[in-house]
Amino acid sequence: MELQTGAEPRDPLLEQATRKQYPFEFFGTGAEYFRIWIVNISLTILTLGIYSAWAKVRKMQYFYGNSRLAGGSFEFTADPLNILKGRLLVFFLFVAYQLASWAQPLLAIVLALAIVPFVPWIVVKALSFNLRYSSYRGLNFRFDGRYWEAFRVYVLLTIAIPLSLGLAYPYVIWRRKQFFVDNARYGTSLFGFDGAIGHFYTVYIVAWLAMSGIAVAALILIAAATLLAGSLGLDFNELLDIEEEAGKELLAALGMSVGIAVYALLFLAFLVMNTAIQAVISNHVWQRTQLADTVRFHLDLSLWKMAGLQLTNILAIIFSLGLLIPWASVRMVRYKASRFTLIAAPAALESFIASERDAVTATATELGDALDFDLGL
Amino acid sequence: MKRFRARYYDGQSSRSHEVLLWRDGENLHLRGESIAREVPLSSVAVSARLGDSPRYLEFADAAKCETDDNDAVDALLSRVAIVHRLERRWTAVLAATLFTAAFVWASIEYGLPAMARHLAHAVPPTMEQSMGQQSLQALDASVMKESRLMEVDRERVRAAFARVSKTLPDLIGPTPPMQLLLRRSETLGANAFALPSGIVVFTDELVELAQSDEELMAVIAHELGHVHHRHILRTLLQNSVVALLIASLLGDISSITGLAASIPTFLVEQRYSREFEFEADAFALQWMRSQQLDKQHFARILRRISGSHDDAEAAGFGRYLSTHPSVIERIDAIEE
């Protein structure tokens, strides 16, 4: 099948001149989503989990529908029954795996290895599912990735990471982004990715240096705290006139608290660093992505703002015992949308066409649906 | 009938058409600059309402209308979907919140432990034996070496074990098979633990630490308490279900909530573990009372074991992170 980039032939120069910026907007609110979220959870409990498939569709649609671009919103069109089938399958596999690993830990290892050939298949199907059931302006997205390319990207390259002592890691991430973007389609139009491998290496090297610095600082902090606590511990006995045993216990409690505090800080530092890496990589990927030569994107996430959002979200979720999860999710999506722009000529946005396969939805999708179940990835 | 605005897409291209829609009897009318359609309302698939997000009306030929006028779309339908009615009422939302909180609390407090207790008794003995053997092999291959105890000491432990296991049936009726193994381990230090299928492992370090047979018997009784209550199996069952429960409640875990989910899972698991320690302590005390042994023996060996480990004693906030209750708490419980 011949893939075309647009409808009518256009004058490229004219099109360049008429290019406009279309900001993404997100209109969801934490309060509104909370209602949907808590009703979803309650109904899921009441139906012993069966409703979770419908809950997923409602959740996805809430986020899709509230995302606006150039006057249109996004639609999540998956059938909850297919999601339910996928979830039941995953549930039974999980239970079977657990039983097997208790009865025979060796069998569990064999099973885990047996899954490897299925990984590329699962990746391709999951990406296909997400894109196929995403729609904008009445056209669906698609994913055309093939098994063997996924096998190279997700199995062979994954093995290469430890073999190269981690040096291949930035390349592998770059290759995965390329695999994802290059195989994505909107109607008949292809997405294209020309990200720079060098940029990925720069990001990971800087991150690695920063993490090493933090780890060394944490070690020094622990050592200092131990020494400090050691000298304090002696004082406790004299100061408080308590027995040696009690002084030891006090010291141990103090050491434990310092230890926990340092680990918590270290944990948060890794988390913030991870968020920052994701933000920088996402910015680069979207800036180097285009759709059919006519549409470009611009994402400008601030590294610090993202890290701050992530941190405050986690604290809010922990201290609200989970009740602020909807607020946290909405807040993150709203920020990301606010930094995301699409650049295209108005005519270009109007001229994408449905692929032939899209046009025969009635029969073809039913057939494909049976295989394209969502594996909850 | 009121007309409302929508954007129309024909399903063939991404061109957006501004149109007006209205209902006329059983038909839906659509008018735009160069489009006019009239279709039976029954052939139109209307998307579910979600807050104030846009709605989609899909025609039989995959053409679609997208509108922000939720009330007009609801007016086309004979009734509002029940789920949206729940989401709209604050009383229903409050009830859902309380119900969810109560469910989570009751599952963790009663539901999961009760379920694990029943399931643990349903696990076939062959499976339990295989689990016990596998764990033992794994430990032998990694952190445990053969015991270097002198024959005298071995006899001492064996005699203590025999005394506890022989007198247990008087207390609790028929007991499952129980087996004592001696190992040396620098990593584990002074330690004793029970594995599935009634295997109880004592380290040389612990035997050397014990100053009397009564102290040994107290620890043996504690471990046999784990065996009697099937704590190992129950821990495995509870932990896998807790992870599943929390993950499924929080829904499709995104990166934020995924991390937030691992923390409560961990805390709940540690809590179950501490409960089992108290339960095994109570069992040991019950046995000691039946044998007219002084419970101080148990308190003394506990204190000495904790002194022999370098790791800091959990206190304050650290208590929630620990698998074992603090020795102070345990001894307090023993002396009560």
Side-chain angles (χ1 to χ4, degrees):
Chain A
M1 185 181 63
E2 186 76 13
L3 290 173
Q4 286 163 359
T5 52
E8 313 100 42
R10 287 180 302 263
D11 179 353
L13 275 178
L14 181 74
E15 202 184 278
Q16 288 253 321
T18 56
R19 276 195 175 186
K20 266 182 69 180
Q21 297 218 347
Y22 294 95
F24 272 80
E25 287 166 294
F26 184 72
F27 292 101
T29 64
E32 196 177 50
Y33 179 49
F34 178 83
R35 292 161 172 260
I36 292 168
W37 178 78
I38 197 76
V39 169
N40 272 348
I41 292 182
S42 300
L43 291 178
T44 299
I45 294 170
L46 286 174
T47 58
L48 304 173
I50 292 173
Y51 187 77
S52 73
W54 280 261
K56 180 184 174 166
V57 171
R58 283 185 85 74
K59 173 205 156 137
M60 292 293 283
Q61 184 50 43
Y62 184 78
F63 283 94
Y64 272 49
N66 279 306
S67 302
R68 292 291 185 94
L69 174 69
S73 66
F74 290 79
E75 191 187 358
F76 185 67
T77 58
D79 179 359
L81 271 177
N82 286 327
I83 295 175
L84 182 64
K85 277 186 234 159
R87 294 207 158 168
L88 285 175
L89 184 73
V90 171
F91 177 76
F92 285 117
L93 285 177
F94 175 81
V95 171
Y97 179 79
Q98 279 286 3
L99 286 177
S101 64
W102 291 340
Q104 272 294 343
L106 269 179
L107 185 66
I109 297 170
V110 172
L111 280 179
L113 284 176
I115 289 171
V116 170
F118 291 100
V119 167
W121 180 80
I122 293 170
V123 167
V124 167
K125 288 297 162 195
L127 291 174
S128 301
F129 185 89
N130 284 335
L131 286 183
R132 173 191 280 248
Y133 294 114
S134 300
S135 155
Y136 173 66
R137 288 174 168 247
L139 302 189
N140 289 339
F141 292 81
R142 290 277 174 166
F143 185 74
D144 293 332
R146 301 252 164 225
Y147 177 89
W148 286 111
E149 190 183 359
F151 184 82
R152 282 199 296 278
V153 175
Y154 282 89
V155 177
L156 293 186
L157 283 180
T158 306
I159 299 169
I161 296 172
L163 290 182
S164 67
L165 304 173
L167 286 177
Y169 188 72
Y171 170 76
V172 175
I173 298 297
W174 173 83
R175 188 65 187 83
R176 284 185 187 164
K177 301 284 182 198
Q178 188 199 38
F179 172 68
F180 179 60
V181 178
D182 273 353
N183 286 302
R185 211 148 51 82
Y186 173 57
T188 51
S189 304
L190 297 170
F191 281 88
F193 177 64
D194 66 343
I197 303 178
H199 186 83
F200 282 70
Y201 271 92
T202 315
V203 170
Y204 280 101
I205 288 169
V206 170
W208 183 79
L209 288 173
M211 267 342 288
S212 311
I214 292 171
V216 169
L219 281 177
I220 293 173
L221 211 66
I222 292 175
T226 315
L227 283 175
L228 190 72
S231 56
L232 277 176
L234 290 174
D235 292 342
F236 279 143
N237 297 329
E238 291 170 16
L239 271 176
L240 305 175
D241 193 27
I242 47 180
E243 284 173 39
E244 198 180 334
E245 196 71 2
K248 261 189 189 165
E249 268 166 20
L250 205 57
L251 172 65
L254 193 72
M256 181 90 174
S257 314
V258 172
I260 291 170
V262 172
Y263 281 119
L265 281 177
L266 206 58
F267 181 69
L268 285 178
F270 275 96
L271 187 85
V272 165
M273 184 59 70
N274 191 40
T275 312
I277 293 172
Q278 300 304 328
V280 177
I281 297 271
S282 294
N283 284 345
H284 182 74
V285 168
W286 280 106
Q287 277 153 30
R288 296 300 189 96
T289 293
Q290 58 174 13
L291 174 59
D293 301 331
T294 55
V295 178
R296 295 209 68 98
F297 303 89
H298 187 79
L299 179 65
D300 186 21
L301 297 175
S302 148
L303 187 157
W304 298 109
K305 179 83 183 166
M306 280 293 284
L309 276 174
Q310 185 81 309
L311 201 65
T312 44
N313 273 351
I314 285 172
L315 292 176
I317 289 173
I318 291 173
F319 288 109
S320 67
L321 302 175
L323 286 178
L324 284 179
I325 288 175
W327 173 81
S329 322
V330 163
R331 185 165 174 249
M332 189 55 111
V333 172
R334 189 185 296 137
Y335 174 69
K336 284 183 181 169
S338 74
R339 311 301 295 170
F340 197 24
T341 344
L342 178 144
I343 304 149
L349 278 185
E350 300 268 307
S351 58
F352 290 102
I353 51 172
S355 70
E356 282 172 44
R357 276 191 288 171
D358 281 339
V360 284
T361 36
T363 44
T365 11
E366 302 308 313
L367 208 73
D369 276 354
L371 281 171
D372 257 5
F373 48 67
D374 174 35
L375 277 160
L377 286 173
Chain B
M1 180 76 200
K2 191 185 155 233
R3 295 175 176 215
F4 60 99
R5 293 163 64 88
R7 294 173 293 276
Y8 175 79
Y9 309 107
D10 62 10
Q12 304 300 314
S13 89
S14 62
R15 185 177 297 274
S16 164
H17 306 265
E18 292 293 324
V19 295
L20 283 176
L21 286 171
W22 70 95
R23 180 184 179 167
D24 179 16
E26 289 308 303
N27 285 351
L28 183 69
H29 291 259
L30 182 154
R31 288 279 182 286
E33 217 170 281
S34 53
I35 314 147
R37 292 189 71 166
E38 182 181 349
V39 293
L41 196 55
S42 56
S43 72
V44 178
V46 181
S47 73
R49 178 162 185 172
L50 277 154
D52 279 327
S53 68
R55 297 284 276 284
Y56 308 87
L57 306 170
E58 188 173 357
F59 300 113
D61 61 355
K64 262 180 202 171
C65 278
E66 178 183 332
T67 180
D68 301 322
D69 200 336
N70 265 304
D71 293 335
V73 174
D74 284 341
L76 291 178
L77 304 167
S78 44
R79 60 195 176 81
V80 180
I82 188 157
V83 180
H84 179 65
R85 287 216 301 266
L86 290 175
E87 288 164 358
R88 210 166 44 183
R89 278 207 198 102
W90 74 265
T91 43
V93 169
L94 184 69
T97 312
L98 293 176
F99 168 71
T100 304
F103 174 81
V104 171
W105 175 77
S107 314
I108 291 173
E109 193 69 30
Y110 306 108
L112 293 183
M115 196 195 65
R117 205 161 43 237
H118 283 105
L119 276 178
H121 288 281
V123 172
T126 47
M127 187 165 165
E128 208 185 329
Q129 268 160 24
S130 139
M131 284 164 76
Q133 284 306 322
Q134 301 272 356
S135 332
L136 186 65
Q137 278 169 13
L139 285 166
D140 274 340
S142 52
V143 291
M144 300 196 309
K145 293 187 185 112
E146 259 180 66
S147 168
R148 274 199 211 140
L149 282 182
M150 288 195 297
E151 197 49 43
V152 192
D153 288 326
R154 283 180 204 224
E155 267 317 309
R156 224 178 101 214
V157 193
R158 284 199 200 110
F161 188 82
R163 179 166 166 202
V164 183
S165 54
K166 283 222 183 72
T167 49
L168 271 183
D170 303 339
L171 199 62
I172 52 164
T175 53
M178 295 162 178
Q179 187 191 357
L180 172 75
L181 295 174
L182 294 170
R183 294 286 189 274
R184 184 167 55 89
S185 172
E186 279 167 26
T187 325
L188 299 174
N191 222 323
F193 49 89
L195 296 176
S197 73
I199 300 172
V200 173
V201 180
F202 262 66
T203 64
D204 291 5
E205 289 82 353
L206 178 65
V207 177
E208 283 156 7
L209 203 66
Q211 288 173 354
S212 69
D213 289 353
E214 285 77 11
E215 289 184 5
L216 276 179
M217 285 189 280
V219 180
I220 291 168
H222 170 94
E223 295 310 327
L224 291 181
H226 283 314
V227 172
H228 173 65
H229 290 296
R230 297 183 162 245
H231 282 158
I232 323 302
L233 279 178
R234 283 162 65 187
T235 303
L236 278 173
L237 290 164
Q238 282 175 358
N239 289 0
S240 30
V241 181
V242 166
L244 199 66
L245 176 83
I246 291 180
S248 54
L249 277 185
L250 296 183
D252 315 282
I253 305 267
S254 65
S255 56
I256 336 172
T257 50
L259 195 113
S262 65
I263 298 169
T265 310
F266 176 73
L267 291 179
V268 171
E269 287 174 359
Q270 301 309 84
R271 208 205 109 156
Y272 285 149
S273 165
R274 290 193 303 273
E275 265 170 25
F276 286 168
E277 290 309 320
F278 276 127
E279 212 175 359
D281 282 355
F283 183 87
L285 288 179
Q286 195 192 348
W287 178 81
M288 291 175 83
R289 211 176 304 121
S290 76
Q291 298 295 308
Q292 270 113 39
L293 292 171
D294 186 358
K295 57 189 178 182
Q296 282 305 324
H297 292 299
F298 191 26
R300 269 199 292 276
I301 183 90
L302 272 183
R303 216 173 267 135
R304 218 170 304 122
I305 292 172
S306 101
S308 77
H309 289 267
D310 297 335
D311 46 84
E313 185 55 53
F317 179 68
R319 196 172 56 216
Y320 296 101
L321 304 173
S322 175
T323 55
H324 277 58
S326 94
V327 169
I328 304 164
E329 274 179 81
R330 286 174 73 183
I331 291 170
D332 284 351
I334 291 169
E335 284 169 350
E336 246 169 44

